[in-house]
Amino acid sequence: MAMGKSVRTMLALAAASGAEVITHDISSAFLWSELDDDMEVYMQLPKLLSEGGVDAPGEYDNCGAGKGHGKCARLRRAIYGLPQSGRLFMQALNKFFYSLNDGADSKCRATVSDRCVYRFEWKGHRLDACCHVDDIISTPSSPEIKEEFERRLRAYFGEDRITGGEPASYVLGMRIDRDRAKKTLTISQGGFVRQLLEKFGIEESRKAKVQPLTAGIRLKAYEGKASEKDKLWYMQAVGNFQWLAITTRPDVAFAAGLLGRHTANPSPEAMVEVIHVLEYLAGTVDLGITYHGRDEVLGMNKNKLIASVDSDLGGCGTSQKSTSGFVVMLNGGAISWKARRQSTMKAADLCGMELLLLRDLLGEFGWRQGCVRVMEDNAGCVQVAHGQRDSPKTQHFRRCQLSVEEMCNQGKMWLDDVPGEEN
């Protein structure tokens, strides 16, 4: 399935171009895939079914366990629950997209950056599509290619198996709000946040926190032993935070990562911070990511990547390691971000690897990127990255330094020293 950053990239480009966001769903998708001849998979027959037809009520085939007729059936098509079903359906979906290559005026290919993202070109029109299991999210450049794509999709999979085809208000659990006058597209998860608050007994009217975590918090490993009930409560909360953090809420990414380090044995202080995050979410229920399309807002940065990187200093209370973070912006909104504890990889190197992928992806979408600006508030880091400073004190991350320096020398990215309040 397509990566979340690929879906957000496509939505950011749609905000700039004004393209509609269309969704199609393939019903009973896994049942479409045929098993290979050399793949032998058997199953016991369903209840009330045998080779002779419908059995008497109450009979059940237990594959020779002493009940029913004791026979199995060999599968010819994939079913839900079969480990191979996802891979086989992806192969079937690939065959459909490559079947669109049927003439000089009709071309389709998968992107190299993400094999579940496709570009379909037909008679001068184009359509970008992201596939997430049985959901296809597309941004057609015109009504003509939208209708052509939908016609071919229904012809291939069957008229009764395809639903959707209208402008999407929800995509993969994300709500989409568009303001055509202002040329904005906003994604959010307000419904999910409200369900989360209700589950944990937090009211929206409760006094909200202004930041996800207590300022300067340093959680240490708990020397006591948390109860199983507390562990379950804690893991459920943090799991929900992590889903928000990788989808539409980069503002809770650091909190989710920090609290996630203590799921095995959460301390009372960590559990208090979980309540803190919930109270913060209660005050920011409908907060999301907004992508812009107006030239007055974007200026020269329309369809161009901009990144920011930063890290704390020994912020982990247990290991004393620092935590690196980056965010990559496109058309005024975040498309990729991460906050994680450092090993030997530094923030600029972590961000650089992400930029290489996103540069290639945007290039395949038709928007080739020049040198990407990466904002950094550490002047020493900027000098080291550009090869202007060397020291024996940097030998422990020399390999990471060289990779960033190489990307800067090749013109793929450049680090810009900015004030801390702007980063």
Side-chain angles (χ1 to χ4, degrees):
M1 54 187 181
M3 297 180 290
K5 67 190 77 173
S6 301
V7 177
R8 289 188 292 267
T9 298
M10 195 171 73
L11 294 177
L13 293 174
S17 66
E20 292 285 1
V21 179
I22 308 296
T23 58
H24 291 90
D25 180 79
I26 305 174
S27 301
S28 303
F30 285 0
L31 304 183
W32 176 261
S33 309
E34 295 185 359
L35 299 184
D36 298 333
D37 291 337
D38 59 348
M39 187 181 298
E40 294 189 21
V41 181
Y42 296 88
M43 64 171 288
Q44 62 183 10
L45 295 178
K47 190 176 182 180
L48 304 180
L49 183 64
S50 71
E51 60 181 350
V54 178
D55 290 332
E59 288 193 20
Y60 182 72
D61 174 54
N62 275 334
C63 268
K67 298 180 180 179
H69 48 73
K71 291 185 179 180
C72 299
R74 181 180 176 181
L75 290 178
R76 294 298 182 183
R77 288 181 177 270
I79 60 173
Y80 285 84
L82 192 68
Q84 300 94 329
S85 293
R87 176 179 58 84
L88 292 172
F89 175 68
M90 195 62 226
Q91 291 176 355
L93 202 57
N94 265 320
K95 290 180 181 177
F96 160 69
F97 277 102
Y98 284 111
S99 73
L100 302 178
N101 292 292
D102 58 359
D105 293 333
S106 182
K107 298 179 181 179
C108 184
R109 58 178 173 80
T111 63
V112 177
S113 307
D114 190 335
R115 303 303 295 178
C116 293
V117 177
Y118 299 85
R119 164 155 282 204
F120 174 41
E121 297 176 347
W122 176 76
K123 294 184 178 181
H125 308 281
R126 68 179 184 277
L127 178 146
D128 296 319
C130 286
C131 300
H132 190 278
V133 192
D134 58 355
D135 292 316
I136 301 177
I137 307 142
S138 61
T139 54
S141 63
S142 67
E144 290 80 9
I145 195 170
K146 171 188 173 295
E147 294 174 2
E148 178 67 12
F149 177 76
E150 185 169 332
R151 182 188 68 79
R152 297 195 185 198
L153 187 65
R154 293 182 184 278
Y156 192 89
F157 287 101
E159 185 73 26
D160 58 337
R161 287 197 174 194
I162 304 299
T163 58
E166 301 298 326
S169 56
Y170 281 88
V171 168
L172 306 179
M174 301 180 291
R175 177 176 173 175
I176 296 181
D177 294 299
R178 300 198 74 163
D179 188 327
R180 291 292 184 177
K182 295 181 179 179
K183 293 185 178 180
T184 61
L185 185 152
T186 301
I187 55 175
S188 61
Q189 292 175 284
F192 179 81
V193 174
R194 289 185 177 88
Q195 291 177 1
L196 177 61
L197 297 176
E198 182 180 355
K199 179 178 180 179
F200 287 91
I202 305 296
E203 299 179 358
E204 288 187 55
S205 58
R206 193 166 175 171
K207 186 176 180 181
K209 303 297 184 182
V210 296
Q211 55 189 14
L213 291 172
T214 303
I217 185 70
R218 289 171 64 92
L219 295 177
K220 297 183 178 180
Y222 185 36
E223 296 181 358
K225 184 172 178 59
S227 67
E228 293 300 319
K229 182 179 179 180
D230 286 345
K231 287 181 183 179
L232 179 61
W233 179 89
Y234 186 89
M235 286 190 288
Q236 288 177 338
V238 173
N240 284 293
F241 298 161
Q242 290 175 340
W243 169 243
L244 284 170
I246 65 173
T247 312
T248 62
R249 297 296 297 265
D251 54 322
V252 299
F254 175 76
L258 176 62
L259 296 174
R261 301 170 195 165
H262 301 270
T263 53
N265 191 33
S267 65
E269 292 79 11
M271 298 182 73
V272 168
E273 290 304 313
V274 166
I275 298 296
H276 189 112
V277 176
L278 289 169
E279 291 178 341
Y280 168 75
L281 291 174
T284 57
V285 172
D286 293 311
L287 185 64
I289 303 173
T290 298
Y291 303 108
H292 297 266
R294 296 175 62 184
D295 294 336
E296 306 85 66
V297 176
L298 300 175
M300 299 294 293
N301 293 320
K302 189 172 184 178
N303 294 333
K304 290 185 179 180
L305 296 171
I306 300 177
S308 292
V309 298
D310 206 350
S311 65
D312 63 9
L313 181 60
C316 179
T318 302
S319 65
Q320 307 303 314
K321 292 182 178 180
S322 301
T323 299
S324 299
F326 71 83
V327 59
V328 183
M329 309 281 287
L330 180 65
N331 293 336
I335 60 170
S336 181
W337 57 86
K338 184 173 288 187
R340 82 175 189 187
R341 188 168 52 185
Q342 290 181 357
S343 51
T344 57
M345 188 173 295
K346 305 306 174 186
D349 189 40
L350 186 66
C351 181
M353 293 191 301
E354 189 75 1
L355 284 177
L356 290 179
L357 170 67
L358 293 172
R359 277 171 51 90
D360 291 342
L361 180 63
L362 278 166
E364 293 181 286
F365 275 136
W367 296 98
R368 297 193 178 277
Q369 301 294 299
C371 191
V372 180
R373 181 190 183 199
V374 180
M375 293 181 284
E376 168 65 73
D377 60 5
N378 187 313
C381 176
V382 174
Q383 292 174 356
V384 168
H386 287 284
Q388 300 170 353
R389 178 179 176 182
D390 200 4
S391 168
K393 297 180 180 179
T394 66
Q395 290 178 353
H396 63 291
F397 61 89
R398 182 63 178 163
R399 189 180 300 275
C400 297
Q401 175 190 342
L402 288 175
S403 66
V404 174
E405 187 177 332
E406 182 180 5
M407 284 186 282
C408 291
N409 291 336
Q410 291 176 347
K412 295 179 178 179
M413 60 181 278
W414 62 283
L415 268 68
D416 188 12
D417 186 12
V418 298
E421 56 271 15
E422 295 181 13
N423 196 30

